[in-house]
Amino acid sequence: APDAPVPDGGFSDSRMLFEQKFLDLGEITQHEEHPLEFKFKIEGEDPLVLTEADPSCGCTDIRVEYDGEPYLFGEPMQPGYSGRLFGVFESGTFKELKKTDIKLRGNGLDMPIQLDIQALIRPIFVLSPQQLLFGDVPARQGAERELVVSAIEDFEVTQWLNSPPGFLIEEVGEPEPDPTGRRVLKRF
């Protein structure tokens, strides 16, 4: 099909129609990369130009592909052709519900377009309690506290940092699954 020129005035009566505008990655873990993909089709009578795909967070790296080839922003996209916006979401050190979006700008109808992404991000380790307080403990008298560590997989503690002299931390019992069966609990 011959390429139609971009309409005078720079505005297009065409639009990018997405199969979905919301992507829920579900429950994921910190420091993981998850693929993203939003498929679209150009519908209308004249070419559409995409000028920018702007993620709201550095956690999202994206690219645009049109007609099976990398898309160069500012080039016309012809009606009837398809493409996809794809990339990676990096969960990093985020915790709990993380929402981010990608704003698409161009000359088409309904622009800018917002694509939304969310994930429930679980930490690699969870300490309970998060802080142990021993108070004033006389030198000849001991004190005990329990610390429970929940992790995504079995682990070994090779060193405790910033422990005062005479301070002893020992693993108590065997590792056990948490109530969901998806994490490992160790007691110290």
Side-chain angles (χ1 to χ4, degrees), residues 132 134 143-145 160 163-172 188:
L132 291 177
F134 286 88
E144 291 185 12
R145 301 289 188 272
W160 294 93
S163 298
F167 192 81
L168 178 64
I169 301 174
E170 297 178 311
E171 189 171 336
V172 180
F188 296 91

Side-chain angles (χ1 to χ4, degrees), residues 2 33 38-39 48 51 68 80 82 115 139 146 150 164 184 186:
E33 292 185 352
F38 294 92
K39 294 181 179 181
L48 180 146
T51 57
S82 298
L115 305 174
E146 182 178 76
S150 169
V184 176
K186 282 192 175 184

Side-chain angles (χ1 to χ4, degrees), residues 9 17 20 34 68 80 87 96 107 109 119-120 123-124 127 131 142 173 178:
L17 290 180
Q20 65 179 13
H34 292 271
E96 299 305 322
N107 71 344
L109 292 176
L120 184 59
I124 293 174
L127 304 177
Q131 184 178 22
D178 78 345

Side-chain angles (χ1 to χ4, degrees), residues 73-141:
F73 290 103
E75 294 293 318
M77 290 191 266
Q78 302 301 320
Y81 285 83
S82 298
R84 67 187 184 123
L85 185 139
F86 66 102
V88 174
F89 172 81
E90 297 180 19
S91 57
T93 58
F94 295 109
K95 288 189 251 178
E96 299 305 322
L97 185 62
K98 170 66 177 162
K99 294 182 179 185
T100 188
D101 63 67
I102 302 164
K103 288 214 178 28
L104 303 174
R105 294 178 179 83
N107 71 344
L109 292 176
D110 302 330
M111 287 196 156
I113 296 170
Q114 181 170 308
L115 305 174
D116 294 301
I117 303 159
Q118 79 174 25
L120 184 59
I121 302 173
R122 296 294 180 211
I124 293 174
F125 287 102
V126 178
L127 304 177
S128 177
Q130 289 193 357
Q131 184 178 22
L132 291 177
L133 300 175
F134 286 88
D136 292 328
V137 178
R140 286 184 249 108
Q141 184 180 356

